[in-house]
Coordinates of all heavy atoms in Angstrom, one line a residue:
P244 N 74.0 5.2 -32.0 CA 74.7 5.2 -30.7 C 74.3 3.9 -29.9 O 75.1 3.5 -29.0 CB 74.4 6.5 -30.0 CG 73.1 7.0 -30.7 CD 73.2 6.5 -32.1
R245 N 73.1 3.4 -30.1 CA 72.7 2.2 -29.4 C 73.5 1.0 -29.7 O 73.7 0.1 -28.9 CB 71.2 1.9 -29.7 CG 70.3 3.1 -29.3 CD 68.8 2.8 -29.7 NE 68.8 2.8 -31.2 CZ 67.6 2.6 -31.9 NH1 66.5 2.5 -31.2 NH2 67.6 2.6 -33.2
E246 N 74.2 1.0 -30.9 CA 75.0 -0.1 -31.3 C 76.3 -0.1 -30.4 O 76.9 -1.2 -30.3 CB 75.5 0.1 -32.7 CG 74.3 0.0 -33.7 CD 74.0 -1.5 -34.1 OE1 74.6 -2.4 -33.5 OE2 73.2 -1.7 -35.0
R247 N 76.6 1.0 -29.7 CA 77.8 1.0 -28.9 C 77.4 0.9 -27.4 O 78.3 1.1 -26.5 CB 78.6 2.3 -29.1 CG 79.3 2.3 -30.4 CD 80.3 3.5 -30.5 NE 81.2 3.6 -29.4 CZ 82.3 2.9 -29.3 NH1 82.6 2.0 -30.2 NH2 83.1 3.0 -28.3
S248 N 76.2 0.5 -27.1 CA 75.8 0.2 -25.7 C 76.5 -1.0 -25.2 O 77.0 -1.9 -25.9 CB 74.3 0.0 -25.6 OG 73.9 -1.1 -26.3
I249 N 76.6 -1.0 -23.8 CA 77.3 -2.1 -23.2 C 76.6 -3.4 -23.4 O 77.2 -4.5 -23.6 CB 77.5 -1.8 -21.7 CG1 78.3 -0.5 -21.5 CG2 78.2 -3.0 -21.0 CD1 78.3 -0.1 -20.0
I250 N 75.3 -3.4 -23.3 CA 74.5 -4.6 -23.5 C 74.7 -5.2 -24.9 O 74.8 -6.4 -25.1 CB 73.0 -4.4 -23.2 CG1 72.2 -5.7 -23.3 CG2 72.4 -3.4 -24.1 CD1 72.7 -6.8 -22.4
V251 N 74.8 -4.3 -25.9 CA 75.0 -4.8 -27.3 C 76.4 -5.4 -27.4 O 76.6 -6.4 -28.1 CB 74.8 -3.6 -28.3 CG1 75.4 -4.0 -29.7 CG2 73.3 -3.3 -28.4
Q252 N 77.4 -4.8 -26.7 CA 78.7 -5.3 -26.7 C 78.7 -6.7 -26.1 O 79.4 -7.6 -26.6 CB 79.6 -4.4 -25.8 CG 81.0 -4.9 -25.6 CD 81.9 -3.9 -24.8 OE1 82.8 -3.3 -25.4 NE2 81.6 -3.8 -23.6
Y253 N 77.9 -7.0 -25.1 CA 77.8 -8.3 -24.5 C 77.0 -9.3 -25.3 O 77.1 -10.5 -25.1 CB 77.1 -8.2 -23.1 CG 78.0 -7.5 -22.1 CD1 77.4 -7.1 -20.9 CD2 79.4 -7.3 -22.3 CE1 78.2 -6.4 -19.9 CE2 80.1 -6.6 -21.3 CZ 79.5 -6.2 -20.1 OH 80.3 -5.6 -19.2
L254 N 76.2 -8.8 -26.3 CA 75.3 -9.7 -27.1 C 75.9 -10.1 -28.4 O 75.5 -11.1 -29.0 CB 74.0 -9.0 -27.3 CG 73.1 -8.8 -26.1 CD1 71.8 -8.0 -26.5 CD2 72.6 -10.2 -25.6
K255 N 76.9 -9.3 -28.9 CA 77.4 -9.6 -30.2 C 78.1 -10.9 -30.3 O 78.9 -11.3 -29.4 CB 78.4 -8.4 -30.6 CG 77.7 -7.2 -31.1 CD 78.6 -6.1 -31.7 CE 77.9 -4.9 -32.2 NZ 78.8 -3.9 -32.7
D256 N 77.8 -11.6 -31.4 CA 78.5 -12.9 -31.6 C 78.2 -13.9 -30.5 O 79.0 -14.8 -30.2 CB 80.0 -12.8 -31.8 CG 80.3 -11.9 -32.9 OD1 79.7 -11.9 -34.0 OD2 81.3 -11.1 -32.8
Q257 N 77.0 -13.8 -29.8 CA 76.7 -14.7 -28.8 C 75.5 -15.6 -29.2 O 74.7 -15.3 -30.1 CB 76.2 -13.9 -27.5 CG 77.3 -13.2 -26.8 CD 78.2 -14.1 -26.0 OE1 77.9 -15.2 -25.7 NE2 79.5 -13.7 -25.8
N258 N 75.5 -16.8 -28.6 CA 74.4 -17.7 -28.8 C 73.2 -17.4 -27.9 O 73.3 -17.4 -26.7 CB 74.9 -19.2 -28.6 CG 73.8 -20.2 -28.8 OD1 72.9 -20.3 -28.1 ND2 74.0 -21.0 -29.9
A259 N 72.1 -17.0 -28.5 CA 70.9 -16.6 -27.7 C 70.5 -17.7 -26.8 O 70.0 -17.4 -25.7 CB 69.8 -16.2 -28.7
R260 N 70.5 -18.9 -27.2 CA 70.1 -20.0 -26.4 C 70.9 -20.2 -25.1 O 70.4 -20.4 -24.0 CB 70.1 -21.3 -27.2 CG 69.3 -22.5 -26.5 CD 69.2 -23.7 -27.4 NE 68.6 -23.4 -28.7 CZ 67.2 -23.4 -28.9 NH1 66.5 -23.7 -27.9 NH2 66.7 -23.1 -30.0
R261 N 72.3 -20.0 -25.3 CA 73.1 -20.0 -24.1 C 72.9 -18.9 -23.2 O 72.9 -19.0 -21.9 CB 74.6 -20.0 -24.6 CG 75.6 -19.9 -23.4 CD 77.0 -19.9 -24.0 NE 78.0 -19.7 -22.9 CZ 78.5 -18.5 -22.6 NH1 78.1 -17.4 -23.2 NH2 79.3 -18.4 -21.6
I262 N 72.6 -17.7 -23.7 CA 72.2 -16.5 -22.9 C 71.0 -16.8 -22.0 O 71.0 -16.5 -20.8 CB 72.0 -15.3 -23.7 CG1 73.4 -14.8 -24.3 CG2 71.4 -14.2 -22.9 CD1 73.2 -13.7 -25.3
L263 N 70.0 -17.5 -22.6 CA 68.8 -17.8 -21.8 C 69.1 -18.9 -20.8 O 68.5 -18.9 -19.7 CB 67.7 -18.3 -22.8 CG 66.7 -17.2 -23.2 CD1 65.9 -16.7 -22.1 CD2 67.4 -16.0 -23.9
R264 N 70.0 -19.8 -21.1 CA 70.4 -20.8 -20.1 C 71.1 -20.1 -18.9 O 70.8 -20.5 -17.8 CB 71.3 -21.9 -20.7 CG 70.6 -22.8 -21.7 CD 71.4 -24.1 -21.9 NE 72.8 -23.8 -22.5 CZ 73.0 -23.7 -23.8 NH1 72.0 -23.9 -24.6 NH2 74.3 -23.5 -24.2
A265 N 71.9 -19.1 -19.2 CA 72.5 -18.4 -18.1 C 71.5 -17.7 -17.2 O 71.6 -17.7 -16.0 CB 73.5 -17.4 -18.6
I266 N 70.5 -17.1 -17.8 CA 69.5 -16.4 -17.0 C 68.6 -17.3 -16.2 O 68.1 -17.0 -15.1 CB 68.6 -15.5 -18.0 CG1 69.4 -14.4 -18.6 CG2 67.4 -14.9 -17.3 CD1 68.7 -13.6 -19.7
F267 N 68.4 -18.6 -16.7 CA 67.6 -19.5 -16.0 C 68.4 -20.6 -15.2 O 67.9 -21.6 -14.8 CB 66.6 -20.2 -17.0 CG 65.5 -19.4 -17.4 CD1 65.6 -18.6 -18.5 CD2 64.3 -19.4 -16.7 CE1 64.5 -17.8 -18.9 CE2 63.2 -18.6 -17.0 CZ 63.3 -17.8 -18.1
A268 N 69.7 -20.3 -15.0 CA 70.5 -21.2 -14.2 C 70.0 -21.4 -12.8 O 69.6 -20.4 -12.2 CB 72.0 -20.7 -14.2
D269 N 69.9 -22.7 -12.4 CA 69.3 -23.0 -11.1 C 70.1 -23.8 -10.2 O 69.6 -24.4 -9.2 CB 67.9 -23.7 -11.3 CG 68.1 -25.0 -12.0 OD1 69.3 -25.4 -12.3 OD2 67.1 -25.7 -12.3
G270 N 71.5 -23.8 -10.4 CA 72.3 -24.6 -9.5 C 72.4 -26.0 -9.8 O 73.1 -26.7 -9.0
S271 N 71.7 -26.6 -10.7 CA 71.7 -28.0 -11.0 C 73.0 -28.4 -11.7 O 73.8 -27.5 -12.1 CB 70.5 -28.4 -11.8 OG 70.5 -27.7 -13.1
T272 N 73.3 -29.7 -11.7 CA 74.6 -30.1 -12.3 C 74.8 -29.6 -13.7 O 75.9 -29.2 -14.1 CB 74.7 -31.6 -12.3 OG1 74.5 -32.1 -11.0 CG2 76.0 -32.1 -12.8
K273 N 73.7 -29.6 -14.5 CA 73.8 -29.1 -15.9 C 74.3 -27.7 -15.9 O 75.2 -27.3 -16.8 CB 72.4 -29.2 -16.5 CG 72.2 -28.4 -17.8 CD 70.8 -28.5 -18.2 CE 70.5 -27.5 -19.4 NZ 69.0 -27.5 -19.8
Y274 N 73.8 -26.8 -15.1 CA 74.2 -25.4 -15.1 C 75.5 -25.1 -14.4 O 76.2 -24.2 -14.9 CB 73.1 -24.6 -14.5 CG 71.8 -24.5 -15.3 CD1 70.6 -25.2 -14.9 CD2 71.8 -23.8 -16.5 CE1 69.5 -25.2 -15.7 CE2 70.6 -23.8 -17.3 CZ 69.5 -24.5 -16.9 OH 68.4 -24.5 -17.7
T275 N 75.9 -25.8 -13.4 CA 77.2 -25.6 -12.8 C 78.3 -26.1 -13.7 O 79.4 -25.5 -13.6 CB 77.3 -26.3 -11.4 OG1 77.0 -27.7 -11.6 CG2 76.3 -25.7 -10.4
A276 N 78.0 -27.1 -14.5 CA 79.0 -27.5 -15.5 C 79.2 -26.5 -16.6 O 80.4 -26.2 -17.0 CB 78.6 -28.8 -16.1
E277 N 78.1 -25.8 -17.0 CA 78.3 -24.8 -18.1 C 78.7 -23.5 -17.6 O 79.4 -22.8 -18.3 CB 76.9 -24.7 -18.8 CG 77.0 -23.8 -20.0 CD 75.7 -23.8 -20.8 OE1 74.7 -24.3 -20.4 OE2 75.7 -23.2 -22.0
F278 N 78.3 -23.1 -16.4 CA 78.7 -21.8 -15.8 C 79.4 -22.1 -14.4 O 78.8 -21.9 -13.4 CB 77.4 -21.0 -15.6 CG 76.6 -20.8 -16.9 CD1 75.4 -21.5 -17.0 CD2 77.1 -20.1 -17.9 CE1 74.7 -21.4 -18.2 CE2 76.4 -19.9 -19.1 CZ 75.2 -20.6 -19.2
P279 N 80.7 -22.5 -14.5 CA 81.4 -22.8 -13.3 C 81.9 -21.5 -12.5 O 81.7 -20.4 -13.0 CB 82.6 -23.6 -13.8 CG 82.8 -23.1 -15.1 CD 81.5 -22.7 -15.7
E280 N 82.5 -21.7 -11.4 CA 83.0 -20.6 -10.6 C 84.0 -19.8 -11.4 O 84.7 -20.3 -12.3 CB 83.6 -21.1 -9.3 CG 84.8 -22.0 -9.5 CD 85.4 -22.6 -8.2 OE1 84.7 -22.3 -7.1 OE2 86.4 -23.2 -8.2
I281 N 84.1 -18.5 -11.0 CA 85.0 -17.6 -11.8 C 86.4 -17.8 -11.3 O 87.3 -17.8 -12.1 CB 84.5 -16.1 -11.6 CG1 83.0 -16.0 -11.9 CG2 85.4 -15.2 -12.4 CD1 82.7 -16.3 -13.4
W282 N 86.6 -17.8 -10.0 CA 87.9 -18.0 -9.4 C 88.0 -19.4 -8.7 O 87.0 -19.9 -8.2 CB 88.2 -16.9 -8.3 CG 88.4 -15.6 -8.9 CD1 89.5 -15.1 -9.6 CD2 87.5 -14.5 -8.9 NE1 89.3 -13.8 -10.0 CE2 88.0 -13.4 -9.6 CE3 86.2 -14.4 -8.5 CZ2 87.4 -12.2 -9.8 CZ3 85.5 -13.2 -8.7 CH2 86.1 -12.1 -9.3

Side-chain angles (χ1 to χ4, degrees):
R245 298 173 298 184
E246 295 277 5
R247 288 189 54 77
S248 63
I249 302 174
I250 183 60
V251 167
Q252 178 177 249
Y253 292 165
L254 291 174
K255 281 186 175 177
D256 302 320
Q257 290 288 338
N258 182 288
R260 195 175 297 275
R261 175 176 173 267
I262 289 174
L263 267 293
R264 288 199 300 270
I266 295 174
F267 284 90
D269 62 1
S271 60
T272 303
K273 166 187 171 182
Y274 289 109
T275 55
E277 185 170 11
F278 306 108
E280 61 184 5
I281 307 300
W282 291 282

